[in-house]
């Protein structure tokens, strides 16, 4: 029997990986299509208002934009797979060179946020979920609702007003010198991380709370309590493992939200990450940079989801029996 | 759970819900009538850039010297309008897809739903930014993008509700009668799924406002001269220390709007659930 279970588990994970690869391919197709099909192409973006039909045609030929779309796509995809992300129109540099440091800065921001977010979300979720409709639970549920409802850029602006403008404790913008790690300048990270935490906690605490409340009120914890097992042991033995499974879901959910949150927070605080690059290149229609950055962000996001899925299957045996 | 806890929390929901509803109504009134109350034109330059609040300009001036109060009073309309437009588009497209999938089933159903999964694979902000990249951003892309993000969720809800109704006797009777599909949808299906489908409209409205505001803030939606609240927060960023009211006023109004919409939507959903 153990052998069968192991086999199906491996099969389940293999299936998830296959789906992920397929999804990545579809995403590459969509990213390319969205930036190609819509009106306005790279050539007209470069020439702007000075464009004439002749100069446009010439530049299109020079950039290879007059070739069939499928050929352009295959060329681009081939480059991406072999590590060539294309060349920025605005900076004239290879995209890889342009965003190398920035990917690192964004990952640091994401990692610091997650490291702080997950334990706080679990603690708050467990505390309020254990006493559903108690004072703390009421407070937490209204606060989290407000946290979800306020846009990150508003939260960030209000936090900057409070902590930088009025109290003067922190710098209002995160002007990290190029080439230096954000970890060397912790004062520049406080406001971005705080903003992400406020918004992130709001959605994740709600999720953990529901998971814990269900476990705490379920038949099996009731049974344990009736058998005279102490409340502390009930929590440790039955409620917390369920909260842990919720924690993995929290990471997956946070990953989805974090992608958008980080882009916005980087713009609010002028944090030199890859999200800022993405927005600036969208504004200036620097298509090669948009394609590369969007693909990288989507890939990280899809891979995080895959990891969370696999971890969840390993943590919660019940899920393995499905199919 | 004790027997007292549930009704008590419901009552708390009522009180907060009623307060939120009143605040939301007041905000919407300001949004609708604001342009008539504004002392100056939204694009009129009335003083030096970033002047502090004074008797004539209670919220001071912005980065070009325009009256912040007048711009704030003019800036709510676009926030509500574009979110509503995106919602209408999303309900039309998602509703149609869900109806067809739910009624037809089989291959059509599977194909449509897989298409929705692909949209869901993208984080919303990323999807909107990629869509905006071809044009550098515009209000048409803004509405289409925010609608697109909402379509899969709506399609799923409509599909599930339609599939359930489709097995009911009155629908089978209509089919047996030889009624045509559009007539079945309009007369037998739609009236019976309407309340289910409308249940989460409030939540979707809040999400649409948030997404549209984020795009405007990122500078890929509504163009700067417009006095949109989210645009104001971006354009007055350099006045954070000089004239914080130029940012605080639109930020607080936007937050008040999204919070009240969400609270009202949340209370309505809970009421519905406990009524069942």
């Amino acid at each position: 029997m153990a052998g069968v279970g192991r086999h199906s588990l491996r099969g389940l994970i293999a299936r998830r990986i296959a789906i992920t690869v397929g999804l990545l391919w579809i995403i590459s197709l969509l990213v390319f299509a969205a930036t190609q099909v819509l009106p306005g192409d790279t050539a007209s973006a470069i020439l702007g208002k000075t464009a004439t039909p002749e100069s446009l045609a010439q530049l299109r030929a020079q950039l290879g934009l007059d070739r069939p779309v499928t050929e352009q796509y295959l060329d681009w995809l081939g480059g991406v797979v072999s590590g060539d992300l294309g060349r920025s129109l605005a900076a004239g540099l290879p995209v890889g060179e342009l965003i190398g440091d920035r990917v690192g800065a964004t990952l640091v921001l994401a990692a610091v946020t997650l490291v702080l977010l997950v334990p706080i979300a679990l603690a708050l979720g467990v505390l309020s979920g254990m006493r559903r409709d108690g004072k703390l639970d009421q407070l937490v549920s209204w606060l989290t609702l407000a946290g979800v409802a306020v846009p990150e850029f508003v939260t960030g602006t209000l936090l900057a007003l409070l902590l930088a403008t009025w109290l003067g404790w922190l710098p209002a913008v995160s002007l990290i010198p190029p080439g230096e790690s954000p970890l060397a300048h912790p004062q520049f990270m406080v406001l971005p991380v705080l903003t992400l935490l406020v918004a992130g906690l709001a959605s994740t605490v709600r999720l953990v709370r529901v998971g814990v409340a269900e476990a705490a009120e379920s038949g099996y914890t009731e049974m344990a309590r009736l058998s005279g097992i102490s409340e502390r042991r009930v929590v440790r033995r039955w409620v917390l493992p369920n909260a842990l499974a919720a924690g993995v879901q929290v990471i997956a959910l946070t990953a989805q939200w974090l992608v958008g949150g980080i882009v916005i927070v980087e713009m609010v605080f002028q944090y030199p990450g890859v999200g800022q690059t993405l927005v600036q290149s969208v504004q200036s229609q620097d298509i090669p940079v948009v394609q590369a950055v969007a693909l990288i962000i989507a890939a990280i996001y899809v891979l995080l989801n895959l990891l969370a899925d696999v971890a969840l299957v390993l943590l919660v045996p019940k899920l393995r029996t499905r199919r | 759970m004790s027997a007292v806890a549930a009704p008590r929390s419901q009552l708390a929901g009522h009180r907060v819900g009623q307060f939120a509803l009143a605040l939301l109504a007041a905000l919407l009134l300001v949004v609708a009538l604001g342009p008539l109350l504004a002392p100056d034109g939204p694009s009129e330059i009335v003083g030096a850039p970033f002047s502090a609040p004074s008797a004539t300009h209670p919220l001071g001036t912005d980065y070009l010297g325009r009256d912040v109060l007048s711009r704030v009073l003019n800036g709510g309309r676009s926030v509500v309008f574009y979110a509503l437009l995106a919602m209408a588009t999303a309900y039309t497209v998602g509703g149609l897809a869900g109806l067809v999938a739910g009624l037809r089933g089989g291959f059509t159903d599977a194909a449509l739903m897989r298409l929705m999964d692909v949209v869901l694979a993208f984080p919303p902000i990323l999807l909107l930014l990629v869509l905006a990249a071809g044009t550098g951003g515009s209000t048409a892309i803004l509405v289409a993008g925010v609608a697109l993000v909402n379509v899969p969720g709506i399609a799923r809800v409509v599909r599930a509700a339609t599939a359930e109704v489709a097995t009911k006797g009155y629908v089978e009777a209509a089919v047996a009668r030889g009624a045509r599909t559009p007539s079945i949808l309009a007369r037998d299906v739609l009236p019976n799924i309407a309340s289910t489908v409308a249940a989460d409209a409030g939540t979707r409205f809040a999400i649409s406002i948030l997404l549209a505001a984020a795009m405007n803030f990122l500078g890929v939606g509504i163009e700067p001269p417009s006095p949109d609240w989210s645009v104001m927060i971006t354009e007055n960023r350099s006045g954070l220390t000089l004239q914080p009211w130029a940012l605080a006023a639109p930020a607080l109004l936007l937050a008040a709007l999204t919070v009240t919409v969400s609270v009202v939507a949340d209370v309505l959903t809970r009421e519905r659930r406990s009524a069942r």
Side-chain angles (χ1 to χ4, degrees):
Chain A
M1 275 309 275
V4 175
R6 189 152 273 276
H7 179 76
S8 70
L9 181 62
R10 206 176 285 165
L12 199 69
I13 293 172
R15 216 175 120 233
R16 286 292 304 146
I17 292 175
I19 291 174
T20 302
V21 172
L23 206 54
L24 278 175
W25 175 67
I26 293 173
I27 285 174
S28 82
L29 211 61
L30 284 181
V31 165
F32 188 83
T35 49
Q36 291 291 315
V37 174
L38 290 168
D41 69 353
T42 308
S44 50
I46 296 176
L47 292 172
K49 291 197 173 69
T50 64
T52 60
E54 296 80 46
S55 66
L56 270 179
Q58 197 187 351
L59 190 62
R60 287 206 179 106
Q62 200 183 322
L63 295 171
L65 296 174
D66 53 351
R67 293 173 302 162
V69 177
T70 44
E71 200 184 311
Q72 288 184 51
Y73 168 72
L74 290 175
D75 203 35
W76 174 69
L77 190 66
V80 169
V81 171
S82 61
D84 172 19
L85 294 171
R87 187 172 273 273
S88 159
L89 304 172
L93 291 167
V95 175
E97 212 169 291
L98 196 73
I99 63 173
D101 290 347
R102 286 174 169 265
V103 173
T106 297
L107 286 178
V108 167
L109 185 57
V112 171
T113 305
L114 276 177
V115 164
L116 292 172
L117 181 99
V118 174
I120 301 178
L122 285 178
L124 277 179
V126 169
L127 282 177
S128 62
M130 282 304 293
R131 291 182 190 274
R132 185 127 80 157
D133 294 319
K135 281 226 168 62
L136 178 73
D137 184 41
Q138 294 266 340
L139 182 71
V140 165
S141 59
W142 289 117
L143 278 183
T144 52
L145 187 64
V148 172
V150 180
E152 291 94 350
F153 68 93
V154 172
T155 315
T157 306
L158 294 177
L159 281 174
L161 273 171
L162 181 68
L163 298 176
T165 306
W166 287 325
L167 293 173
W169 292 347
L170 292 162
V173 286
S174 308
L175 299 174
I176 296 161
E180 289 184 35
S181 163
L183 287 173
H185 302 273
Q187 78 276 18
F188 287 141
M189 295 205 65
V190 178
L191 276 177
V193 169
L194 204 58
T195 306
L196 287 171
L197 278 182
V198 169
L201 277 177
S203 52
T204 48
V205 167
R206 301 193 118 203
L207 200 70
V208 178
R209 172 184 168 269
V210 172
V212 169
E214 267 164 20
E217 287 160 16
S218 67
Y220 53 86
T221 47
E222 194 69 9
M223 188 65 211
R225 279 192 203 104
L226 289 174
S227 339
I229 298 172
S230 75
E231 186 65 23
R232 277 184 62 182
R233 200 170 129 69
V234 170
V235 170
R236 232 183 320 157
R237 180 75 177 76
W238 289 282
V239 177
L240 280 185
N242 279 287
L244 201 66
V248 176
Q249 276 171 310
V250 166
I251 296 176
L253 185 85
T254 312
Q256 174 180 17
W257 157 81
L258 204 57
V259 170
I262 279 190
V263 169
I264 286 164
V265 163
E266 286 185 359
M267 288 304 285
V268 172
F269 297 105
Q270 296 166 39
Y271 184 91
V274 77
Q276 197 190 30
T277 311
L278 177 64
V279 175
Q280 285 167 349
S281 49
V282 166
Q283 287 169 346
S284 61
Q285 287 168 268
D286 197 338
I287 304 280
V289 181
V290 177
Q291 288 172 335
V293 174
L295 195 62
I296 291 173
I297 294 178
I300 293 176
Y301 165 66
V302 170
L303 288 176
L304 268 176
N305 267 338
L306 173 70
L307 280 180
D309 268 5
V310 172
L312 200 61
V313 170
L314 293 177
L315 270 174
V316 187
K318 192 171 70 182
L319 293 179
R320 289 177 215 165
T321 52
R322 240 189 1 202
R323 210 179 278 237
Chain B
M1 204 198 307
S2 73
V4 206
R8 199 199 287 150
S9 82
Q10 221 174 314
L11 206 70
H14 264 305
R15 241 185 296 132
V16 178
Q18 271 166 3
F19 176 69
L21 192 63
L23 194 61
L24 177 61
L27 272 169
L28 289 178
L29 210 64
V30 169
V31 166
L33 302 179
L36 303 173
L37 303 172
D40 301 297
S43 320
E44 200 180 325
I45 292 175
V46 297
F50 290 137
S51 317
S54 64
T56 42
H57 306 295
L59 292 174
T61 64
D62 75 350
Y63 80 116
L64 289 178
R66 296 169 296 194
D67 182 40
V68 171
L69 177 65
S70 302
R71 283 181 70 74
V72 152
L73 286 172
N74 276 283
R77 278 190 178 179
S78 50
V79 175
V80 175
F81 174 73
Y82 287 111
L84 282 179
L85 199 59
M87 288 262 292
T89 315
Y91 270 99
T92 311
V93 177
L96 267 177
L99 279 176
V100 171
L103 208 62
R104 284 278 175 84
F107 176 75
T108 320
D109 181 21
L112 276 171
M113 288 301 121
R114 289 298 82 72
L115 200 66
M116 299 297 158
D117 287 347
V118 171
V119 176
L120 285 178
F122 265 94
I125 297 267
L126 190 65
L127 183 68
L128 284 160
L129 282 173
V130 169
L131 280 177
T135 54
S138 68
T139 46
I141 296 283
L142 177 75
V143 170
V146 173
L148 185 61
V149 170
N150 277 304
V151 163
I154 294 171
R156 280 185 179 179
V157 172
V158 173
R159 170 183 172 271
T162 307
E164 199 195 319
V165 167
T167 59
K168 293 269 160 60
Y170 50 83
V171 174
E172 282 172 3
V175 175
R177 241 193 353 256
R180 293 180 40 209
T181 310
S183 143
I184 297 177
L185 286 178
R187 294 183 49 193
D188 302 303
V189 177
L190 268 182
N192 289 303
I193 65 167
S195 71
T196 314
V197 174
D200 56 358
T203 315
R204 291 191 193 288
F205 183 49
I207 292 172
S208 300
I209 294 180
L210 287 174
L211 266 179
M215 286 297 102
N216 292 334
F217 168 76
L218 294 177
V220 292
I222 298 170
E223 295 287 323
S226 321
D228 182 89
W229 289 340
S230 33
V231 176
M232 286 180 73
I233 296 172
T234 320
E235 64 189 10
N236 292 315
R237 185 73 172 79
S238 59
L240 191 67
T241 47
L242 269 169
Q243 218 292 68
W245 290 109
L247 285 97
L252 289 172
L253 279 169
L254 190 57
L257 180 67
T258 48
V259 170
T260 48
V261 169
S262 301
V263 170
V264 169
D266 187 71
V267 170
L268 286 180
T269 328
R270 279 194 224 176
E271 289 295 300
R272 242 184 79 84
R273 224 175 270 153
S274 58
R276 241 186 284 168

